[in-house]
Amino acid sequence: MPSQPALVADALRLLGAPACACDGAGVIIAANDALAALFGDSPLGRTLPGLFYDAAAQTAAGQLAQALHLPCHWHGVLATPRGEVPVQVQAQPLRESGGASFVFADVSAYEQGRETLRTTVLEQRVLIENAPIGILFTQGGRMRSCNPRLAAMAGYSPEELARVAPVDMFQSPEAFVHFMDGAFGTIAQGEVFEKTGQQFRRRDGSLFWCRVRAHLVEPGRREAGTIWIVEDVTEARRAQLEVEALLTNSALAIIFTRERAISRCNGGFCEMFGYPAGSALPANVRGLYADDAACDAIGVAAFEQFALGRSYTTETAMVRADGTPLWVQLIGFMVNPDEPSHGNAWIVEDRTRHKHSEESLRDALLENQAILDSAVLGIAVVESGHTLHCNRKMEELFGCGAGGISGVSVRSLYPDSDGWQAARAETARDFAAGRVHVSEHRLMRRDGEVFWARLSGRPFDLENPGGRSVWMVDDVTARREAAEEVRRARDELEVRVAERTAELAGANALLQDEILERRQAEARVHHMAYHDSLTGLPNRALLADRMEQAILAAGRSHTKLAVMFIDLDRFKNINDSLGHLTGDYLLKEVANRLCRAVRASDTVARLGGDEFVVLVPGVHAARECDAVGDKIIEALAAPVPVDGHSLHISPSIGICLYPDDGKDVETLMRHADAAMYHAKAAGRNNYQFFEQHINQAAARHFELESSLRTALANGEFEPYYQPIMDMATRRVHALEVLLRWRRPGIGLALPDDFIPILEENGMIVPVGEWVIRRACEQSMAWQRQGLPAVPLAINLSARQFMHRALVASIRRIVEETGIDPTLVEFEITESALMQHSEQTLEILGQINRMGMRLSIDDFGTGYSSLAYLKRFPVRKIKIDRAFIRELEASSEDRAIVAAVMALANSLQLQVVAEGVETEEQLALLRGYGCQYVQGWLFAKALDSEATRALLADDAR
């Protein structure tokens, strides 16, 4: 054959695929046209490995040696002019010649399809492994494989779950059999099996709900296996059950409407509107209103709010199924604001009883006013020498029209100054002695007519005789004239005695009727005098009387009496922010809850403001008071809904016991009050028993507060100055203004001893204004002496900062002292900045526009919120001394300081480090890039003279 290559070539041409023949050395001796076309010319004379790429050529060389003796095949890649061509090579030996023939099958399309299939399989595997639902493959009644999501649902790994018997995944074997019968009954018919709720068991034994879908891998071939799609619906099912429970058990009526048609309601609706369970509901909401006009009015008003994306709230009249009316509060909102077609939800609260109660209260008030207006005596309430209000009889006595007496000075009711002064002195004497004042004086009507009147008055609060008082005025001119006539008649003829006696008897009968009416009026006034007008609880006067009686009873029975002084925490914030009407409503609710929390034999009283007192008689041990205190705290813990707000209130309770902590009313009240303040200091919303050290602390606190009230007027305050040094030049950069109190006979007091008291009693506002003015005046004085102008850093407390007159006060001081505003810098703590952010932003903006600088004091110890650094016009922050004190030893403090410096540099803020006391601290701060420092390393706080000397030295 080697001698006849043409014959071999003719044979190869009969093949449709590229082919060639080689001799024993691997040299191609014959090739067909298909192979020549593949390579662009005849490959005769080339070696067989030379047709392949590098790695494939080595494989071809190895296969060539085998092909000379045995048939073989392999895969390779030909190196053709048009690129790589993957081929399958079939080889047969040419035994007589010692060579071999080779046929090349192009497998490009096969390789490309296999790669595509491999890519598709990988993509599907990624999808299955990362699917948010469980996917399971079963075959022959066993779980073959699953994705990680299904294994995580059941608490297994995928490998562990594959070894679990399917029956173990169910609540019971019976549940497994029932489920599988239903599933394969559907799957066997070639349909998709689906079940929206099925319980499965986790590895730990707990059960969870799932939605299940299943179908055969190959329709009609159950042996090929089944694919299961499992979705965990436990939370969705729980949420659905909770919503259904809420709808079913809510005492409020809840309905859902679409196009004003009722689509769904709860049991509360049927009960409130009188529809028996299972009966037909009105098809349209029109059936819930008395007429079309009322229904249409509600619809128009509600849908105007719905169109704006808001809820709708109103009170209106509706009708029950039997036609009886009811008064309700109606709250409506859209189920889905983005899809109005989903309809609306309505919450209905029956307020019929509340409506009747309000009307009854209004009627009672009108009745009381009618009684006062019908009284034969003039009745008036007086405060600070002026009448606040009075009844109609009082206006008639003085010849005034409606409202003519209200606000009038009592002095104007007397004809002369002597009479008024005498009446005033007598009244003050009786009130101070705790007596009702009764006297007769000459008064003057509006037209100038003078008449005699009998005056009867008493203060509302016997412990405050200078406060508000109530007066009854009776015109006794006729009686006095009658008495005068009687005296003159003694000298007349005896024959007229009988006639005069009869006249006097009639006058006496009239007087008795008037006395009876007066006593009734006095009884009503007496109740008003001994009870709180807002809550109806006993007031301070009645409480004192009951305490005296309880003390006597406790002494006789040898038991203890507990006095519980209650103050509401942060009630002033609610009163100031939501108004006095809301505050009054909250006080009445607190009074009701206190009365329900204690026994019927206990006394609940209101002293005024947000202060209440509870008397608990019959106590044998102090631990019995613990239960009462816990009940009071629990009773006040529930939120109070008021006008859309949910208000939370908590008490601070001080407890003292008779006779352990005091044996009289005054001592017990004082000690209970002191214990209450101890409860506030302990964090509020708790109760504390009186101890002697509390009394000593309260006495010291009272002594300091009393001295502070006169300290400003007596010139006892003195500003001190501590320099803030420039790190680069070691010169004075600014002076922080600090307040000191030089107490007569005691010496210099530091701010921690008295600043909290100034904050508490509100004196921080005038004292703070004095500090600003005094510091500005001192700065101007130094400048007139030729000293350099140094900025002043002045602290503003939280209460001073929120005072409405702060900005006006600062502007006035700057104008009056003539100081350059850029020399004034105010330091505010983080907590003060964040109390009322919007109001704070406005105040800071006004101060900044005046040219003054702002800095944050004690940075890092308050809210530590970065948002305000961007919003507020702050130029400087002061790192609190707590982070500097251990700077050399504490890596945490060094990290905090470094972070603050990085933050300040990024926001272009200046930084002052407080409390620098050592050169080591200074070196560390310099390394962090701190610009300014302050502390004892440079100077303590100095008085004005020492500060002047420091500035003079610094200027040299």
Side-chain angles (χ1 to χ4, degrees):
M1 298 299 286
S3 64
Q4 300 181 20
L7 180 61
V8 175
D10 290 339
L12 293 177
R13 290 189 184 96
L14 298 176
L15 298 176
C20 68
C22 298
D23 60 14
V27 177
I28 298 174
I29 61 174
N32 64 0
D33 295 337
L35 184 62
L38 186 64
F39 281 91
D41 59 4
S42 175
L44 295 178
R46 296 176 63 179
T47 63
L48 179 70
L51 301 180
F52 293 85
Y53 273 100
D54 294 339
Q58 296 177 5
T59 303
Q63 293 292 333
L64 174 63
Q66 181 180 351
L68 297 175
H69 305 286
L70 295 172
C72 64
H73 64 87
W74 76 92
H75 287 274
V77 180
L78 295 178
T80 69
R82 59 186 178 91
E84 299 178 1
V85 178
V87 294
Q88 183 180 36
V89 185
Q90 296 287 342
Q92 289 286 342
L94 300 176
R95 301 188 184 278
E96 289 84 356
S97 65
S101 63
F102 300 90
V103 179
F104 304 95
D106 189 345
V107 294
S108 300
Y110 169 76
E111 292 293 336
Q112 183 177 1
R114 189 172 66 172
E115 181 63 25
T116 301
L117 178 61
R118 187 175 69 85
T119 302
T120 303
V121 170
L122 290 176
E123 290 175 350
Q124 291 178 348
R125 178 177 297 174
V126 170
L127 289 175
I128 291 174
E129 290 182 350
N130 295 278
I133 58 176
I135 302 174
L136 172 68
F137 171 67
T138 63
Q139 189 178 37
R142 296 191 59 80
M143 294 186 288
R144 296 301 183 185
S145 63
C146 69
N147 69 340
R149 174 57 183 159
L150 180 63
M153 287 184 193
Y156 296 92
S157 67
E159 295 76 12
E160 292 173 334
L161 187 60
R163 296 193 294 270
V164 175
V167 67
D168 295 336
M169 293 293 294
F170 287 79
Q171 188 175 7
S172 64
E174 293 76 15
F176 169 72
V177 172
H178 178 74
F179 175 80
M180 297 305 293
D181 288 345
F184 283 107
T186 302
I187 294 173
Q189 299 176 9
E191 299 177 359
V192 175
F193 170 74
E194 182 170 0
K195 189 171 184 180
T196 58
Q198 174 63 44
Q199 276 189 307
F200 293 102
R201 184 185 301 279
R202 295 188 180 92
R203 183 176 189 171
D204 60 6
S206 62
L207 300 177
F208 63 103
W209 285 92
C210 292
R211 180 186 293 114
V212 182
R213 286 175 57 89
H215 59 85
L216 294 176
V217 175
E218 294 184 26
R221 294 187 65 241
R222 181 173 175 180
E223 63 274 10
T226 306
I227 293 295
W228 303 81
I229 306 300
V230 183
E231 180 182 359
D232 189 344
V233 296
T234 304
E235 292 301 324
R237 188 179 182 91
R238 182 182 294 115
Q240 180 181 358
L241 293 175
E242 290 173 351
V243 171
E244 291 178 354
L246 178 63
L247 291 175
T248 302
N249 300 297
S250 175
L252 302 174
I254 303 175
I255 60 175
F256 297 88
T257 64
R258 289 186 180 179
E259 299 296 334
R260 308 210 77 184
I262 299 176
S263 59
R264 188 181 177 191
C265 69
N266 69 338
F269 171 80
C270 297
E271 182 178 354
M272 183 181 297
F273 284 84
Y275 290 95
S279 65
L281 300 175
N284 193 282
V285 295
R286 166 64 186 84
L288 304 179
Y289 294 90
D291 50 52
D292 292 339
C295 180
D296 294 341
I298 292 294
V300 171
F303 285 102
E304 286 179 354
Q305 296 299 312
F306 293 166
L308 299 174
R310 303 172 182 167
S311 61
Y312 173 71
T313 304
T314 187
E315 288 194 1
T316 186
M318 303 183 84
V319 294
R320 297 185 176 91
D322 58 3
T324 57
L326 73 160
W327 187 263
V328 301
Q329 182 184 54
L330 192 63
I331 302 175
F333 50 90
M334 300 177 70
V335 173
N336 184 357
D338 296 330
E339 288 292 339
S341 61
H342 290 180
N344 309 306
W346 301 84
I347 301 175
V348 187
E349 179 184 2
D350 188 350
R351 297 186 64 84
T352 306
R353 182 178 299 175
H354 296 82
K355 187 74 172 178
H356 291 164
S357 299
E358 292 175 359
E359 292 176 353
S360 299
L361 178 59
R362 184 166 53 253
D363 292 342
L365 292 175
L366 292 175
E367 289 173 1
N368 289 339
Q369 187 62 43
I371 291 172
L372 290 175
D373 288 341
S374 302
V376 297
L377 299 176
I379 302 175
V381 177
V382 176
E383 185 175 30
S384 301
H386 290 76
T387 59
L388 298 182
H389 47 81
C390 65
N391 65 347
R392 182 59 190 154
K393 181 62 177 179
M394 188 75 169
E395 294 169 346
E396 293 176 356
L397 284 177
F398 288 91
C400 298
I405 297 296
S406 299
V408 171
S409 170
V410 177
R411 166 65 185 85
S412 64
L413 304 180
Y414 287 82
D416 53 63
S417 179
D418 293 339
W420 174 67
Q421 291 289 357
R424 186 180 181 187
E426 295 173 5
T427 301
R429 185 168 57 251
D430 287 342
F431 281 7
R435 295 191 299 267
V436 174
H437 173 70
V438 179
S439 62
E440 293 185 2
H441 290 281
R442 294 169 68 247
L443 301 180
M444 182 175 65
R445 295 186 173 92
R446 181 63 60 87
D447 59 3
E449 180 185 355
V450 177
F451 68 99
W452 280 94
R454 183 175 185 271
L455 308 177
S456 176
R458 63 155 295 145
F460 278 86
D461 186 354
L462 294 177
E463 295 188 5
N464 184 18
R468 185 175 297 185
S469 58
V470 61
W471 291 84
M472 289 181 289
V473 181
D474 184 15
D475 186 350
V476 295
T477 304
R479 181 176 60 78
R480 290 181 68 93
E481 290 177 351
E484 187 66 27
E485 288 294 333
V486 170
R487 284 193 296 271
R488 288 197 300 267
R490 291 173 182 172
D491 300 330
E492 295 182 0
L493 297 173
E494 191 172 345
V495 293
R496 300 189 58 186
V497 171
E499 181 182 353
R500 181 59 63 191
T501 302
E503 293 176 359
L504 292 176
N508 185 60
L510 179 61
L511 182 60
Q512 291 300 321
D513 292 340
E514 293 177 354
I515 291 173
L516 178 60
E517 293 181 2
R518 183 184 300 117
R519 288 177 177 172
Q520 292 174 348
E522 287 177 347
R524 289 192 294 272
V525 173
H526 181 272
H527 181 273
M528 295 169 60
Y530 284 96
H531 290 79
D532 177 45
S533 60
L534 177 63
T535 62
L537 296 177
N539 60 11
R540 187 184 297 271
L542 184 55
L543 173 65
D545 180 70
R546 291 191 180 180
M547 283 186 66
E548 291 177 351
Q549 299 300 323
I551 289 173
L552 294 176
R556 289 192 298 268
S557 61
H558 302 291
T559 57
K560 300 180 185 294
L561 168 67
V563 180
M564 309 183 75
F565 199 105
I566 303 171
D567 185 87
L568 303 182
D569 300 331
R570 301 181 179 89
F571 173 77
K572 186 177 184 302
N573 293 342
I574 296 176
N575 218 25
D576 292 345
S577 59
L578 300 181
H580 291 286
L581 290 179
T582 300
D584 290 347
Y585 178 85
L586 186 60
L587 289 173
K588 289 190 284 187
E589 177 63 20
V590 169
N592 293 334
R593 292 188 183 185
L594 289 176
C595 292
R596 292 195 298 267
V598 300
R599 304 171 302 180
S601 58
D602 300 336
T603 296
V604 180
R606 181 187 176 215
L607 300 185
D610 59 344
E611 294 181 340
F612 295 84
V613 172
V614 176
L615 298 183
V616 184
V619 175
H620 295 86
R623 63 177 177 274
E624 298 177 26
C625 300
D626 293 341
V628 181
D630 291 335
K631 287 183 66 178
I632 292 175
I633 293 175
E634 181 181 357
L636 300 184
V640 181
V642 182
D643 294 335
H645 300 280
S646 184
L647 304 182
H648 294 265
I649 198 73
S650 63
S652 293
I653 307 173
I655 306 174
C656 72
L657 297 173
Y658 167 87
D660 302 348
D661 302 325
K663 298 184 178 181
D664 57 74
V665 173
E666 180 182 356
T667 303
L668 290 171
M669 288 292 289
R670 187 173 67 253
H671 289 176
D673 188 20
M676 181 273 294
Y677 277 104
H678 185 53
K680 282 190 177 294
R684 297 184 172 88
N685 197 28
N686 69 95
Y687 54 85
Q688 298 290 333
F689 287 88
F690 173 79
E691 297 177 6
Q692 193 59 41
H693 73 84
I694 296 178
N695 197 32
Q696 295 170 355
R700 182 175 180 273
H701 183 279
F702 177 76
E703 177 189 357
L704 285 174
E705 184 175 10
S706 300
S707 300
L708 280 170
R709 291 191 178 278
T710 59
L712 183 60
N714 295 339
E716 298 172 8
F717 290 121
E718 183 177 346
Y720 268 54
Y721 307 89
Q722 186 175 26
I724 300 173
M725 308 300 291
D726 189 320
M727 180 80 80
T729 63
R730 286 228 177 187
R731 290 182 176 274
V732 176
H733 165 69
L735 294 173
E736 181 176 3
V737 183
L738 305 171
L739 183 63
R740 298 292 185 266
W741 177 25
R742 196 172 296 279
R743 298 185 63 188
I746 297 178
L748 203 63
L750 297 178
D752 290 345
D753 295 332
F754 63 89
I755 291 295
I757 300 176
L758 294 177
E759 288 272 8
E760 179 183 329
N761 60 21
M763 287 185 61
I764 192 66
V765 174
V767 172
E769 181 178 352
W770 178 87
V771 171
I772 297 173
R773 179 179 294 276
R774 185 70 188 88
C776 292
E777 291 173 347
Q778 182 65 74
S779 176
M780 294 303 295
W782 285 333
Q783 293 179 49
R784 287 192 293 269
Q785 296 173 13
L787 296 177
V790 177
L792 301 174
I794 304 174
N795 292 280
L796 289 178
S797 71
R799 188 160 184 174
Q800 182 184 5
F801 180 68
M802 297 311 301
H803 194 269
R804 65 184 64 183
L806 173 66
V807 175
S809 171
I810 293 173
R811 183 178 288 108
R812 184 172 58 255
I813 292 172
V814 169
E815 292 174 352
E816 293 175 357
T817 61
I819 193 170
D820 184 353
T822 59
L823 294 178
V824 180
E825 177 180 294
F826 289 111
E827 296 183 359
I828 306 103
T829 62
E830 285 183 288
S831 57
L833 279 174
M834 298 303 296
Q835 281 185 359
H836 306 280
S837 58
E838 294 303 324
Q839 185 178 353
T840 298
L841 187 60
E842 174 61 24
I843 295 173
L844 292 178
Q846 294 183 47
I847 295 176
N848 188 57
R849 286 191 292 272
M850 291 167 61
M852 301 177 185
R853 295 177 178 270
L854 299 166
S855 65
I856 301 176
D857 197 9
D858 301 338
F859 185 79
T861 62
Y863 289 84
S864 296
S865 171
L866 303 181
Y868 64 78
L869 290 178
K870 179 179 179 182
R871 294 184 62 201
F872 298 155
V874 175
R875 305 285 186 84
K876 183 185 297 182
I877 59 177
K878 299 187 72 173
I879 302 177
D880 187 73
R881 66 183 68 249
F883 302 117
I884 305 301
R885 186 180 301 114
E886 302 293 334
L887 190 62
E888 304 130 71
S890 172
S891 59
E892 291 85 355
D893 287 346
R894 290 196 297 273
I896 291 173
V897 171
V900 171
M901 289 303 308
L903 173 64
N905 290 334
S906 65
L907 295 178
Q908 296 183 348
L909 298 175
Q910 297 177 345
V911 179
V912 177
E914 296 182 296
V916 179
E917 298 181 359
T918 66
E919 290 289 347
E920 291 78 6
Q921 295 171 350
L922 186 64
L924 287 172
L925 291 170
R926 181 181 291 108
Y928 294 136
C930 183
Q931 301 100 321
Y932 307 107
V933 291
Q934 178 182 6
W936 287 6
L937 179 62
F938 303 97
K940 297 184 178 181
L942 307 173
D943 59 19
S944 57
E945 186 59 31
T947 304
R948 187 197 66 78
L950 175 65
L951 293 176
D953 291 341
D954 195 61
R956 294 192 181 97

